[in-house]
């Protein structure tokens, strides 16, 4: 039980806290080890053009694949990597692997890669990324970096410098999880984005809530007005697909088209009429 030292203001012993810290410490050691042994790998989820069904890119999603084949999701280890500073090394390893994979794809297929908010404070990040692309031999125009709104507001000046370094070299920038962060609209006017990705939460509640549909319609209109490509995340059902096509959303991503796999599934254009076919009329 916790016991207070009368001379001091803090609690000196808390078994629950101790346990959490131990578990965290253990996980950190495991993560360092996993980085060394190559257990942290990118998997690839297709990005599909909703007019044609063409696969136009893949988003690299980090997976921790254990020796026994078990998989851990990024939600479990990315935050820890951010807190411990391991994110720089982890992200560089992932990006290198992802770029090497992307080099083998047809030249018109892009690689989308997520950056953590914590990474944007690294003044050398832009240079590091451009060096890596050169080293691997992937043209910058094949890469699209996904950044969340939260990441941008942490240090606006720094983010601006970074993004202009990258966009000048030809790298594309997508605003990820659009609609869930802060001051989205001021971010849109300030930074040179190519694309907005509508957060999955809006698409998930499409069917039951008309309001969500109106919000998505408005975001797509905003994107069109600003000359940006819009992508809908988390498309799972035929009716979501049919509705997004009708609204003129450019690209889509979701389990309906495919989950992330260890090697990118390069397929001929998907038969979207068939995929959306079971949809009830909107
Ligand atoms: P995100 O960038 O928004 O990635 C999309 C997430 O939605 C992925 O989860 C993906 O598997 C999931 N998803 C895609 N389609 C569907 C669908 O139809 N239904 C549902 N329910 N989910 C779908 P995942 O792989 O667990 O990644 C979660 C988040 O972790 C990512 O969100 C991203 O923010 C972060 N992350 C992933 N890989 C990396 C990485 O290499 N570096 C950094 N910094 N963050 C990463
Ligand atoms: Mg993303
Ligand atoms: Mg996203
Ligand atoms: Mg998301």
């Amino acid at each position: 039980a916790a016991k207070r030292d009368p001379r001091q203001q803090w609690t000196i012993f808390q078994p629950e806290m101790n346990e959490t810290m131990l578990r965290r410490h253990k996980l950190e050691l495991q993560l360092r080890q996993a980085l060394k042994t190559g257990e942290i790998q990118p998997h690839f989820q297709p990005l599909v053009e909703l007019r044609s069904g063409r696969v136009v890119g893949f988003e690299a999603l980090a997976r921790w694949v254990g020796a026994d084949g078990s998989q851990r999701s990024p939600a479990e280890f990315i935050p820890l990597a951010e807190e411990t500073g391991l994110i720089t090394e982890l992200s560089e390893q992932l990006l290198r692997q992802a770029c090497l994979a992307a080099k083998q794809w047809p030249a018109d297929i892009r690689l989308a890669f997520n950056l953590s908010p914590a990474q944007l404070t690294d003044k050398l990040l832009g240079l590091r990324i451009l060096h890596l692309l050169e080293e691997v031999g992937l043209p910058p125009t094949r890469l699209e970096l996904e950044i969340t709104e939260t990441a941008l507001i942490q240090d606006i000046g720094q983010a601006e410098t970074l993004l202009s370094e990258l966009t000048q070299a030809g790298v594309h920038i997508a605003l990820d999880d659009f609609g869930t962060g802060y001051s989205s609209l001021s971010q849109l006017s300030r930074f040179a984005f190519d694309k907005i990705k509508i957060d999955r939460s809006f698409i998930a509640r499409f069917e039951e809530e008309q309001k969500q549909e109106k919000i998505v319609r408005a975001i797509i209109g905003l994107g069109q007005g600003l000359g940006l490509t819009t992508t809908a995340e988390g498309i799972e059902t035929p009716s979501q697909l049919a509705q997004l096509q009708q609204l003129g959303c450019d690209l889509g991503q979701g389990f309906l088209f495919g989950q992330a796999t260890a090697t990118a599934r390069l397929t001929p254009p998907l038969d979207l009429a068939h995929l959306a076919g079971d949809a009830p009329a909107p």
Side-chain angles (χ1 to χ4, degrees):
K3 204 172 176 190
R4 272 194 187 280
D5 182 334
R7 285 157 307 171
Q8 293 180 305
Q9 288 304 303
W10 32 267
T11 307
I12 51 176
F13 180 55
Q14 256 181 357
E16 322 79 69
M17 192 171 117
N18 213 19
E19 217 173 272
T20 313
M21 282 168 64
L22 273 176
R23 211 179 316 121
R24 223 188 89 117
H25 183 64
K26 201 176 146 210
L27 188 62
E28 186 184 334
L29 290 178
Q30 287 176 339
L31 185 57
R32 282 183 196 280
Q33 191 60 28
L35 272 175
K36 283 206 195 101
T37 55
E39 288 185 0
I40 311 285
Q41 300 160 12
H43 280 203
F44 301 96
Q45 187 180 32
L47 299 159
V48 177
E49 191 175 60
L50 296 186
R51 252 175 299 119
S52 63
R54 270 194 331 127
V55 174
V56 294
F58 290 88
E59 178 174 1
L61 294 164
R63 296 288 180 266
W64 182 344
V65 185
D68 57 353
S70 63
Q71 274 189 29
R72 280 197 222 180
S73 95
E76 281 183 68
F77 59 89
I78 294 280
L80 182 76
E82 288 176 346
E83 286 165 39
T84 54
L86 282 172
I87 190 69
T88 304
E89 194 186 333
L90 182 144
S91 186
E92 183 140 351
Q93 266 198 30
L94 281 168
L95 183 59
R96 178 170 286 108
Q97 294 179 68
C99 288
L100 285 169
K103 243 188 99 171
Q104 308 300 317
W105 307 339
D108 58 345
I109 295 193
R110 276 196 204 166
L111 168 68
F113 188 83
N114 294 284
L115 289 181
S116 277
Q119 293 179 269
L120 297 201
T121 56
D122 176 359
K123 289 210 163 58
L124 294 176
L125 182 67
L127 272 181
R128 268 194 242 282
I129 292 173
L130 297 176
H131 274 157
L132 195 148
L133 288 171
E134 201 178 302
E135 177 200 320
V136 172
L138 189 76
T141 50
R142 300 268 311 268
L143 180 65
E144 182 170 283
L145 294 169
E146 300 195 356
I147 297 172
T148 59
E149 298 162 78
T150 354
L152 293 169
I153 49 164
Q154 291 189 348
D155 185 343
I156 289 188
Q158 168 71 17
E160 246 170 352
T161 312
L162 172 73
L163 295 194
S164 70
E165 254 170 28
L166 290 164
T167 50
Q168 270 168 35
V171 175
H172 306 269
I173 311 284
L175 188 50
D176 206 355
D177 302 340
F178 186 81
T180 59
Y182 303 100
S183 63
S184 322
L185 297 177
S186 69
Q187 313 269 21
L188 275 184
S189 67
R190 181 148 197 164
F191 298 102
F193 296 108
D194 304 282
K195 180 188 271 187
I196 40 187
K197 296 189 78 174
I198 306 168
D199 192 64
R200 197 172 81 213
S201 56
F202 296 106
I203 311 301
R205 286 174 296 154
F206 236 18
E207 267 112 338
E208 57 266 34
E209 287 177 51
Q210 258 207 346
K211 244 192 192 165
Q212 303 300 327
E213 198 251 19
K214 286 189 177 138
I215 291 174
V216 171
R217 185 191 294 270
I219 299 176
I220 293 169
L222 183 68
Q224 285 169 344
L226 292 170
L228 304 172
T229 304
T230 47
T231 304
E233 294 184 328
I235 305 177
E236 294 183 352
T237 68
S239 66
Q240 286 167 348
L241 169 60
Q243 221 159 335
L244 285 162
Q245 282 180 309
Q246 211 207 355
L247 293 178
C249 186
D250 300 303
L251 306 178
Q253 177 178 8
F255 296 165
L256 185 67
F257 308 129
Q259 302 210 8
T261 50
T263 41
R265 289 228 176 91
L266 294 157
T267 56
L270 304 176
D271 184 355
L272 293 188
H274 180 76
L275 270 179
D278 311 331

